[in-house]
Amino acid sequence: MASNSKMVSILIILMTFLSTKALAQCEDETNNPCNNKSKALPLKIIGIAAILITSIIGVCLPLITRSIPALSPDRSLFVIVKAFASGIILATGFMHVLPDSFDMLRSSCLADNPWHKFPFTGFFAMLSAIFTLMVDSMATSMYTSKNNAIAAEGGEVLTRDQEMAVASGGAMHFHGHNHGHQKGAIGQQLLRYRVVAMVLELGIVVHSIVIGLGLGASNDVCTIKPLVAALCFHQMFEGMGLGGCILQAEYKTVKKAAMAFFFSITTPFGITLGIALSKTYKENSPSSLITVGLLNASSAGLLIYMALVDLLAADFMGPKLQGSIKLQIKSYAAVLLGAGGMSLMTKWA
């Protein structure tokens, strides 16, 4: 009995020591030899400039190259480039954001109950995908109803308010009348492009701020350098995907510029916010792990839904790709290339 009680006492002491040590590691980051605040700050400033420039290039490239006939939205090359960018967005959700959320919400720094007892990452990603579907569906219904109402009033108002969404001229209805049937179909497709562009921008903005916040708050020079390089690649090609959607949506110049601007500044803004909060923000603290982990899970659900449903499925099931097996094969190769390249980035970021 005495030996058993001694063993129990030793186990209790050992467990207390290990838990105290783990807690100290969660709260204290000074043990890391790569942590150097004075060297990290210049790297972050360089990162802000580099990511801002590559983001602008990526999102503006499809808009600027519109004048090039080979890259207009109705050409095969545009479809292939968009498939490549869609593959990058899909891999961002599956290979970057979702695993990060799993790591954070399964961290040893969090209490065993409830965080290790329930798959919160999968649950919030699922809810996010359903919520995105709801927003996608309701926004499309609202836009369609609004256009139907304006179309009933007269062509001039319709052309001014929904330029390119509905062709100018006489009445154009979306509810199945024989007259103006073809033009109505074009208007409905453009409405879908507009909803897709807005919802995709929302998802990208959320996860860009989160990754920027993590980079800005970190003082680990060993991870900042490769992370900045990976984010430049990521932002450029993700911007190309968003830029393609903005181009297809046929927004006015001011709205195109506004959407491109907000995409370009979100990651640099996140980094700046992270630098400002670096004294209070601890990436291993329970509150930070839970907040960022749940935001990442939600972003992953949104990005995966948008990539699969509104970008890839919409294009591959559309008339252009369905009419050409050869173009489908090229587009699938582009998707795999984009997703594969982005997956390789997980080695560095």
Side-chain angles (χ1 to χ4, degrees):
M1 287 290 291
S3 61
N4 286 342
S5 61
K6 282 183 180 179
M7 284 293 292
V8 170
S9 301
I10 291 169
L11 283 172
I12 290 170
I13 292 168
L14 186 61
M15 287 174 68
T16 305
F17 172 75
L18 289 173
S19 62
T20 306
K21 188 177 180 182
L23 185 63
Q25 287 175 345
C26 290
E27 298 297 335
D28 186 18
E29 297 174 359
T30 55
N31 301 337
N32 188 349
C34 290
N35 274 346
N36 190 319
K37 191 172 182 179
S38 59
K39 288 183 179 179
L41 186 58
L43 291 175
K44 293 175 195 176
I45 294 169
I46 292 168
I48 289 172
I51 291 168
L52 179 63
I53 291 167
T54 51
S55 297
I56 292 170
I57 292 171
V59 74
C60 291
L61 204 58
L63 306 177
I64 294 170
T65 56
R66 183 179 181 177
S67 56
I68 301 171
L71 290 172
S72 62
D74 59 334
R75 295 300 181 92
S76 298
L77 183 58
F78 180 85
V79 175
I80 293 168
V81 172
K82 188 183 173 188
F84 174 79
S86 300
I88 285 177
I89 293 171
L90 183 64
T92 299
F94 271 121
M95 299 298 295
H96 289 258
V97 187
L98 200 62
D100 283 350
S101 178
F102 273 113
D103 290 343
M104 288 175 179
L105 298 180
R106 291 281 183 177
S107 171
S108 58
C109 299
L110 296 181
D112 193 54
N113 189 19
W115 300 104
H116 297 179
K117 302 290 186 183
F118 185 80
F120 283 97
T121 294
F123 180 68
F124 271 83
M126 177 188 70
L127 289 181
S128 176
I130 295 170
F131 178 75
T132 306
L133 171 63
M134 184 175 71
V135 171
D136 202 5
S137 172
M138 289 183 175
T140 303
S141 297
M142 289 170 64
Y143 266 83
T144 304
S145 299
K146 183 179 178 182
N147 275 337
N148 286 344
I150 298 174
E153 293 174 8
E156 292 83 10
V157 178
L158 186 62
T159 305
R160 182 180 175 184
D161 290 350
Q162 302 291 338
E163 106 271 20
M164 301 306 293
V166 202
S168 60
M172 245 186 34
H173 303 276
F174 291 174
H175 40 74
H177 287 196
N178 289 332
H179 61 279
H181 194 325
Q182 186 180 359
K183 289 183 180 179
I186 293 170
Q188 184 71 13
Q189 184 61 57
L190 282 164
L191 282 176
R192 284 294 303 139
Y193 286 146
R194 292 189 170 191
V195 174
V196 167
M198 286 189 293
V199 178
L200 181 61
E201 169 118 354
L202 175 65
I204 290 174
V205 162
V206 171
H207 99 85
S208 294
I209 290 175
V210 171
I211 58 177
L213 181 65
L215 174 59
S218 175
N219 291 317
D220 189 342
V221 292
C222 300
T223 59
I224 289 174
K225 291 177 183 177
L227 187 57
V228 167
L231 284 177
C232 287
F233 174 88
H234 168 267
Q235 289 296 108
M236 176 178 282
F237 288 103
E238 194 172 63
M240 286 174 64
L242 178 62
C245 291
I246 295 171
L247 177 62
Q248 287 181 313
E250 293 290 348
Y251 285 120
K252 291 180 181 177
T253 305
V254 174
K255 194 158 188 178
K256 285 179 184 176
M259 292 181 77
F261 172 76
F262 279 112
F263 166 77
S264 301
I265 65 163
T266 46
T267 303
F269 171 75
I271 296 171
T272 306
L273 187 63
I275 293 170
L277 298 175
S278 59
K279 288 184 178 180
T280 56
Y281 177 88
K282 302 295 180 185
E283 61 180 0
N284 285 330
S285 68
S287 58
S288 298
L289 288 168
I290 292 167
T291 304
V292 177
L294 293 179
L295 282 173
N296 275 337
S298 302
S299 298
L302 191 152
L303 291 172
I304 291 167
Y305 169 88
M306 293 299 299
L308 286 175
V309 178
D310 282 339
L311 298 178
L312 293 173
D315 284 347
F316 279 97
M317 296 301 173
K320 188 171 184 65
L321 280 167
Q322 285 296 307
S324 172
I325 294 293
K326 187 177 179 181
L327 183 57
Q328 280 191 52
I329 292 169
K330 289 179 181 178
S331 298
Y332 277 122
V335 172
L336 291 171
L337 185 63
M342 201 65 206
S343 297
L344 283 175
M345 288 289 107
T346 56
K347 289 186 67 177
W348 299 282

